[in-house]
Amino acid sequence: MTLGAVLAMGFISTSIAIFSYLSPKTLAKEHIVYFSFPLLAFLFYVSLPQDEKKLLSNNKHLLQISLLPLFFSFIFSLFNENLTLAEMINTDTGKLNLIWLLVCIPLGEELLFRGWTYRLSQKIWKDSLMTFTNALPVSIWFSSICFSLWHLQNINLQSPSFVLFQMAYTFLVGIWLGYLRWKSSSIKYPILMHFCINGISILL
């Protein structure tokens, strides 16, 4: 839990500071803000080698278990007051926000949580399972808790009740994304599904 809280309080601000220092002065500050997070997350991800075996021989099961979470995202998006896609693409700031939501967040958060955090916990608790109903690797639970706590950083932007809801929601989403990661031994499925969730929230 401490790791998730530390990441929430300092990861994005640290990545911005590092890349602001290293980047050419001609690079716009907003571009540094939007791309430093996934780049630093990628560096974390590649810092730990992967030694996993694929557990599924086909992708049909992964797609089947993704239908219900995507449906819930669709229902939630109907009640969520966001800018429409048309409103976002008509301004420069909106376009950058679109890139942030559809590219930077799915890449950065998945590389950080279903990538680096997942692998780190695998090395600490190798082959350990934890269960409430079904036995799942500790790495799924650990990365999901960290992913949930990561959203504490929104406490200054949203109401406390919404942040609590978001933490509960992202914990459950994290278990689903972690399961995809575990069964496929690949980061690409969580990234794709994270992109889908964010895309649904924007397009509706």
Side-chain angles (χ1 to χ4, degrees):
M1 289 191 293
T2 303
L3 178 60
V6 168
L7 290 173
M9 295 302 112
F11 191 90
I12 290 183
S13 57
T14 301
S15 64
I16 292 171
I18 291 172
F19 283 90
S20 295
Y21 178 76
L22 297 176
S23 300
K25 301 300 181 186
T26 54
L27 190 62
K29 184 178 180 180
E30 58 266 25
H31 294 147
I32 296 172
V33 170
Y34 280 80
F35 297 108
S36 59
F37 163 50
L39 284 173
L40 188 61
F42 176 75
L43 293 177
F44 269 62
Y45 173 70
V46 297
S47 69
L48 292 175
Q50 181 175 352
D51 54 353
E52 306 165 56
K53 294 180 180 179
K54 187 174 182 178
L55 299 179
L56 289 180
S57 58
N58 61 68
N59 302 327
K60 185 177 180 182
H61 175 64
L62 298 181
L63 293 175
Q64 287 174 339
I65 67 167
S66 298
L67 293 177
L68 188 60
L70 290 176
F71 174 74
F72 282 132
S73 297
F74 169 77
I75 295 300
F76 176 71
S77 68
L78 295 177
F79 299 96
N80 195 17
E81 296 181 1
N82 286 328
L83 290 175
T84 65
L85 180 61
E87 290 170 333
M88 295 184 81
I89 62 177
N90 285 331
T91 65
D92 290 340
T93 303
K95 290 174 184 175
L96 282 174
N97 286 335
L98 192 63
I99 293 171
W100 174 252
L101 289 169
L102 292 181
V103 179
C104 299
I105 288 180
L107 273 176
E109 289 187 343
E110 293 313 308
L111 288 169
L112 189 58
F113 293 102
R114 260 59 63 182
W116 179 74
T117 306
Y118 184 94
R119 286 183 182 176
L120 179 65
S121 57
Q122 275 191 322
K123 290 186 176 298
I124 297 172
W125 298 289
K126 188 172 179 62
D127 299 325
S128 296
L129 299 177
M130 189 174 93
T131 181
F132 292 114
T133 53
N134 296 315
L136 295 173
V138 171
S139 51
I140 292 179
W141 298 104
F142 179 75
S143 59
S144 298
I145 291 170
C146 289
F147 183 49
S148 173
L149 292 173
W150 165 260
H151 291 83
L152 278 171
Q153 63 189 290
N154 295 331
I155 198 69
N156 294 325
L157 304 173
Q158 305 282 353
S159 67
S161 58
F162 180 83
V163 172
L164 286 174
F165 165 78
Q166 191 177 40
M167 289 174 66
Y169 171 76
T170 52
F171 173 70
L172 296 174
V173 168
I175 293 174
W176 163 52
L177 295 173
Y179 182 84
L180 296 179
R181 173 74 170 83
W182 174 46
K183 286 295 184 178
S184 67
S185 296
S186 173
I187 195 74
K188 66 183 180 183
Y189 293 101
I191 290 174
L192 175 62
M193 290 305 159
H194 202 145
F195 166 81
C196 290
I197 288 175
N198 288 14
I200 287 170
S201 70
I202 295 170
L203 294 175
L204 298 174

